């Protein structure tokens, strides 16, 4: 979901800067609406993590982030609706792009907060399928991270100072789902 959002925003940015495929006004608006809808879906899934997070502080941080994402998604949806009724102008297209980028930055920040919440742990979830799916995704990532950390600590390779060498392989991260140039 986050990758699709990033691709849509990148497509919008390239179109406005005449570097990629040029989008028509309708395509640009459709991309913005798609990003806004994805933002709402992402907020719904993040709320599940927040609701089931063991750490109260992490839970509150996620809930604040969810509110911000919902606000930005609604704002982007409203701007795209207004844009649909206006003539094509560079300033309104840049406003649309700016809001989509702001939403994507908020999502990126929230992904990192969801990582922290997942590391703290999640409560037993209800029998709801969506909640179980979100928890399974978080637990799978957590297992991969812990396995990576275990491999790092069990390494016997030492440098000339006697310090343990770490691998050049980066640890698994939920934030890696977003392209680097959108993280802030």
């Amino acid at each position: 979901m986050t990758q699709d959002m990033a691709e849509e925003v990148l497509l919008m940015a390239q179109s406005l800067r005449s570097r990629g495929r040029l989008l028509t006004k309708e395509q640009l608006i459709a991309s913005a609406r798609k990003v806004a809808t994805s933002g709402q879906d992402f907020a719904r899934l993040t709320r599940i993590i927040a609701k089931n997070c063991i750490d109260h502080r992490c839970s509150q941080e996620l809930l604040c982030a969810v509110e911000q994402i919902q606000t930005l998604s609604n704002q982007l949806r409203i701007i795209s609706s207004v844009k649909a009724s206006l003539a094509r102008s560079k300033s309104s297209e840049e406003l649309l792009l700016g809001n989509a980028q702001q939403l994507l930055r908020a999502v990126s920040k929230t992904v990192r907060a969801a990582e922290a919440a997942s590391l703290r742990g999640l409560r037993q979830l209800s029998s709801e399928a969506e909640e179980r799916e979100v928890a399974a995704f978080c637990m799978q990532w957590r297992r991969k991270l812990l396995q990576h950390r275990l491999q790092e600590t069990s390494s016997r390779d030492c440098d000339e100072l006697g310090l343990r060498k770490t691998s050049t392989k980066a640890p698994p991260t939920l934030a890696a789902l977003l392209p680097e140039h959108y993280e802030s």
Side-chain angles (χ1 to χ4, degrees), residues 15-16 23-25 28 83 86-90 92-93:
S15 176
L16 287 178
L23 300 177
T24 64
K25 174 184 157 185
L28 190 67
K83 169 85 174 96
L86 298 175
R88 187 168 188 158
S89 75
K90 186 77 170 169
S92 63
E93 290 172 355

Side-chain angles (χ1 to χ4, degrees), residues 136-179:
F137 177 76
C138 290
M139 298 317 286
Q140 179 185 15
W141 166 77
R142 185 177 180 202
R143 273 192 298 276
K144 285 181 183 179
L145 178 65
L146 294 176
Q147 185 178 35
H148 174 81
R149 287 179 177 174
L150 181 63
Q151 288 172 350
E152 288 283 310
T153 59
S154 66
S155 172
R156 299 284 180 210
D157 294 336
C158 295
D159 63 10
E160 61 278 358
L161 297 174
L163 300 173
R164 187 178 335 127
K165 291 182 182 179
T166 59
S167 71
T168 56
K169 184 179 174 186
T173 171
L174 289 175
L177 296 174
L178 292 173

Side-chain angles (χ1 to χ4, degrees), residues 56-70:
H56 181 69
R57 193 184 81 226
C58 286
S59 177
Q60 290 303 313
E61 183 180 343
L62 278 175
L63 289 174
C64 287
V66 164
E67 291 301 319
Q68 181 183 21
I69 288 171
Q70 287 181 321

Side-chain angles (χ1 to χ4, degrees), residues 123-137:
R123 290 185 188 94
Q124 284 296 96
L125 301 174
S126 70
S127 60
E128 207 173 302
E130 190 174 50
E131 284 191 15
R132 286 194 317 267
E133 189 176 329
V134 169
F137 177 76

Side-chain angles (χ1 to χ4, degrees), residues 32 46 76-77 89 95 100 110 150:
T46 304
L76 184 58
R77 184 173 287 117
S89 75
L95 179 66
T110 305
L150 181 63

